[in-house]
Amino acid sequence: MTGNGKGNISNSNVSSIKYNSDFVSFTLDHLSYLDLVNFFESKGVLLTKDEEGRVYPRSETSNTILDTLRSSYESNFINEVLETNVERLNFEKEKIRVIGKNLNKLYDYVVVTTGSKAGLNNIPNNFNEELIKSTDHKLTPAYPALSPLFIKENIASLRGVRAKVKASMEIDKLYEVDGEVLFKDDSLSGICMFELSTFYARNMIKNKLNKVSLELDFLKEYKVEFLIDKLKEIRNNLPNNDASILLNGFFPKMLAKYILDATVIS
């Protein structure tokens, strides 16, 4: 389960308009957010919701969800097969034969939920595509989304720094999101970056984008005039301190240093 190991099973704000496929509408019509919540609560799972609408088990561990699902299908005599690569799907009359190493069984229905190449280890890159093509289903192009955003600037010194920001990206229009950003060696991560990455991916499909500009506002709740006056006040009160000390009350230490180095202010 996803959600940093906490078992993020759904979101109270889930909507088909936030996805790229009409299949989502079909799915939500058959299993709504409330249906899912009612299912897990009927199995004894206490759920909680954060400020963004993300739903987790109160235990905040994905094992709670996994154990609940396992106990549910075990009571219905469903067999679990793990660590087995499916190599081929064959249609035989009204059933589907699933073939793999030490696996050769007929089923009424097969749901392929392979994810992307990013989740594959020691499996050929085209494995998912070839498996699905063997069923004569149509494949839509897959692009990275919900991923960190790689940037050209050298931000290695900020690795591990977290900050609350308003992030803006202009593509076909201006996209703005609020949230926490996590600096990595050569990329920006965090939920708000993941959200922007989905906007980028959708436009990349339509417009063949390569690079775009990204802006981060670290002090979004303050007006520029207030910040200028505040900096002047701090400078007057601490005339012998260098600029990095003055900014430590505004930003994490390494971020303050990075900003000053970029603006050549001492």
Side-chain angles (χ1 to χ4, degrees):
M1 296 295 291
T2 59
N4 199 24
K6 296 195 298 183
N8 177 200
I9 63 167
S10 188
N11 191 297
S12 61
N13 302 313
V14 65
S15 169
S16 60
I17 64 173
K18 297 181 179 180
Y19 291 83
N20 296 320
S21 170
D22 293 336
F23 178 73
V24 177
S25 297
F26 170 83
T27 304
L28 292 178
D29 286 343
H30 286 75
L31 183 70
S32 69
Y33 161 74
L34 289 178
D35 291 335
L36 189 65
V37 168
N38 291 336
F39 169 79
F40 281 106
E41 289 185 341
S42 72
K43 302 298 180 182
V45 179
L46 185 62
L47 299 173
T48 185
K49 181 172 64 174
D50 68 12
E51 66 278 2
E52 299 294 333
R54 292 182 290 266
V55 180
Y56 303 91
R58 185 63 184 82
S59 65
E60 292 199 336
T61 171
S62 58
N63 282 336
T64 295
I65 301 301
L66 184 59
D67 291 342
T68 300
L69 291 174
R70 278 179 168 157
S71 65
S72 297
Y73 64 63
E74 286 171 357
S75 64
N76 287 293
F77 306 102
I78 297 174
N79 183 41
E80 179 181 51
V81 180
L82 301 175
E83 304 297 331
T84 302
N85 290 336
V86 175
E87 299 170 353
R88 196 164 70 254
L89 301 175
N90 288 347
F91 288 88
E92 299 181 11
K93 296 183 178 179
E94 300 298 321
K95 294 184 180 292
I96 304 171
R97 183 174 297 278
V98 179
I99 301 171
K101 186 177 181 180
N102 301 321
L103 176 65
N104 191 323
K105 290 187 177 182
L106 282 172
Y107 295 93
D108 294 317
Y109 301 98
V110 171
V111 179
V112 180
T113 56
T114 59
S116 71
K117 299 174 185 177
L120 298 176
N121 292 315
N122 302 318
I123 295 177
N125 279 342
N126 65 342
F127 175 77
N128 291 344
E129 290 90 335
E130 293 305 315
L131 178 64
I132 297 172
K133 283 179 181 177
S134 70
T135 67
D136 291 329
H137 280 289
K138 180 182 178 182
L139 279 172
T140 56
Y143 294 88
L146 284 180
S147 65
L149 294 175
F150 288 86
I151 63 174
K152 66 177 183 180
E153 287 81 6
N154 182 1
I155 58 170
S157 64
L158 296 176
R159 180 183 181 184
V161 172
R162 296 175 182 269
K164 299 288 187 180
V165 302
K166 179 175 78 172
S168 305
M169 178 186 288
E170 187 157 4
I171 312 176
D172 59 327
K173 64 179 183 179
L174 182 64
Y175 295 92
E176 295 182 329
V177 296
D178 293 339
E180 184 180 76
V181 62
L182 169 64
F183 288 85
K184 296 190 172 183
D185 286 332
D186 54 2
S187 61
L188 301 174
S189 188
I191 292 175
C192 64
M193 293 298 106
F194 293 162
E195 188 170 352
L196 284 179
S197 74
T198 64
F199 299 138
Y200 176 81
R202 290 168 186 168
N203 280 277
M204 181 173 64
I205 295 171
K206 293 186 295 184
N207 304 316
K208 305 299 180 183
L209 295 175
N210 186 12
K211 297 179 180 180
V212 295
S213 295
L214 173 68
E215 293 185 5
L216 302 180
D217 184 350
F218 295 94
L219 299 168
K220 57 187 177 67
E221 64 269 42
Y222 300 105
K223 292 184 177 181
V224 174
E225 294 78 13
F226 169 82
L227 293 172
I228 292 174
D229 291 341
K230 193 65 177 177
L231 285 171
K232 288 179 179 178
E233 178 186 332
I234 297 173
R235 169 59 79 187
N236 290 334
N237 293 336
L238 303 169
N240 298 321
N241 288 31
D242 62 39
S244 63
I245 299 299
L246 302 183
L247 289 182
N248 278 350
F250 290 74
F251 309 104
K253 182 178 180 180
M254 293 308 297
L255 181 57
K257 184 179 184 305
Y258 181 89
I259 293 173
L260 290 173
D261 289 345
T263 55
V264 200
I265 296 176
S266 61

